[in-house]
Amino acid sequence: MNINAVSRKKRFAILLTLGLLSAIGPFSIDMYLPAFETIALDFETTIEHIQLSLTAFFVGIAFGQLIYGPLLDKFGRKKPLLVGLVIYIGASILCAYTKEPNHLIFLRFMQALGSCSGMVASRAMVRDIFEPREAAKVFSMLMLVIGISPIVAPSVGAFVLTNFDWHIIFVILAVLAFLILLSVIFILPESYQGNKEMSLQPRAIIADFWHVFRNPVFLLYAAVGGFASSGLYAYLSGSPFVLQRLFGLSEAEYGAAFALVASTLIMATQLNRVLLNRWDSEGISKKASFIQASAGVLLVVITLSGGMNLYVLLALICVFLCSQGFIFPNTSALALAPFGKLAGIASALLGCIQMALGAFTSASVSYFHDGSMLPMAAVMGSSASIACLIYFLVDKREKNTVS
């Protein structure tokens, strides 16, 4: 597909659809965060128990992407994507009617299996259509849509909790996914027809994944992006308790604070597009990684010193997420650049690494929960520091071939 041959209006519609596909997962996370306490009370359980539904979602996305990657490379991008969206819609409706916390945890896993089809397909389609520098700009545009999610979703969730109940949150998610499904059918073109000769035998699939994984360029940027993103998921998991319980924010105030922090992510992704006209993706993301690690370390130090207050906390998290807005689009474009026919598998493996680390950090925040904000701060600081160390200490080798 030649994206330059379509009209500006059609190009905008395609990019918006890709952005919405990328945002399904984040929106599914952010919209129900304000409802953790309400859901826990309704199910007569603890917030820590409900946090496992978030962990299950991360695990589902990490596992599901490994399934969709080979399917996208064999059957093209749209058919597996449509199947995933149908799964997501069905799981969302069931989430709205469940009456048991463990059922909710399982259904969130199934919901994640559906949502990750959009995340894998959108990244692969960007790789299909754009060259690496332009792809980094497009990923920044997609991050604009993704970045709106933390602003809109918690506010919508808080509004629903105020006027209805938490079950309606999942009804809204099902309706949104249905509208995206229609956009995929009628707006999104097929960017890759698939490789009918590609084998789906387990041994062949494992060989393809191993071929991608052992590429030094992919491995470097996937690791940096994965650890940097995992700090964000630690924040998502720990912020309801920290901001609402420790700092006493109401559901509406939590949504407003979440929106303020997320706005820095949006501004960074759009500034990244401008900076790419002067600097390359590696230089931008390397500086951002250092800044993010510095913010994470300060978060831990100030927490341990007992000098943390709400305004300092929000300021440091803003810097942390602002850095993520530069790291994610650039490392994603660089990680996928070496691959052509295996772009679906590369996209799946990239997302799997990111979400697996996100699931681990989310579970770590819950596991080490001690009634303070230290678990969240420590996991955020550690994740960003590891990403920074990898970037500055690991020598990358030049890619030799395009797969």
Side-chain angles (χ1 to χ4, degrees), residues 133-289:
R133 183 181 287 264
E134 186 67 19
K137 294 182 179 180
V138 174
F139 277 125
S140 293
M141 294 178 66
L142 299 188
M143 282 295 290
L144 173 62
V145 180
I146 296 172
I148 291 175
S149 168
I151 293 179
V152 175
S155 299
V156 173
F159 174 82
V160 170
L161 289 174
T162 302
N163 296 276
F164 304 97
D165 63 49
W166 66 267
H167 302 83
I168 303 301
I169 291 175
F170 291 101
V171 174
I172 294 174
L173 289 174
V175 172
L176 290 175
F178 179 73
L179 295 177
I180 295 173
L181 176 68
L182 294 179
S183 297
V184 170
I185 294 173
F186 296 109
I187 296 176
L188 198 63
E190 179 60 88
S191 64
Y192 179 65
Q193 295 300 323
N195 180 7
K196 299 298 187 276
E197 297 180 356
M198 178 180 174
S199 173
L200 292 181
Q201 292 295 321
R203 179 176 296 181
I205 292 174
I206 292 172
D208 287 337
F209 272 113
W210 177 244
H211 176 75
V212 171
F213 182 78
R214 65 193 293 267
N215 182 288
V217 175
F218 173 85
L219 191 57
L220 169 64
Y221 294 117
V224 172
F227 277 104
S229 297
S230 66
L232 167 62
Y233 293 118
Y235 163 69
L236 293 176
S237 179
S239 62
F241 173 81
V242 171
L243 294 178
Q244 291 182 277
R245 286 283 185 90
L246 298 184
F247 288 97
L249 299 187
S250 66
E251 292 170 344
E253 290 170 337
Y254 172 77
F258 212 90
L260 171 66
V261 171
S263 65
T264 62
L265 178 64
I266 293 177
M267 290 187 290
T269 57
Q270 301 317 294
L271 178 58
N272 183 62
R273 295 173 57 200
V274 177
L275 295 181
L276 282 167
N277 293 324
R278 297 189 58 184
W279 294 286
D280 61 19
S281 292
E282 181 184 1
I284 294 171
S285 53
K286 182 176 286 189
K287 292 180 178 64
S289 180

Side-chain angles (χ1 to χ4, degrees), residues 22 24-26 29 54-65 112 115-116 119-120 123 222 225-227 229-230 232-233 236 328 348-363:
S22 300
I24 291 177
I29 294 169
L54 182 60
T55 301
F57 194 89
F58 292 147
V59 173
I61 288 183
F63 175 74
Q65 290 185 80
S115 73
C116 64
M119 301 171 70
V120 180
R123 284 194 302 265
F227 277 104
S229 297
S230 66
L232 167 62
Y233 293 118
L236 293 176
F328 175 83
L349 189 56
L350 178 66
C352 176
I353 291 171
Q354 292 175 345
M355 288 300 168
L357 289 171
F360 176 76
T361 54
S362 172

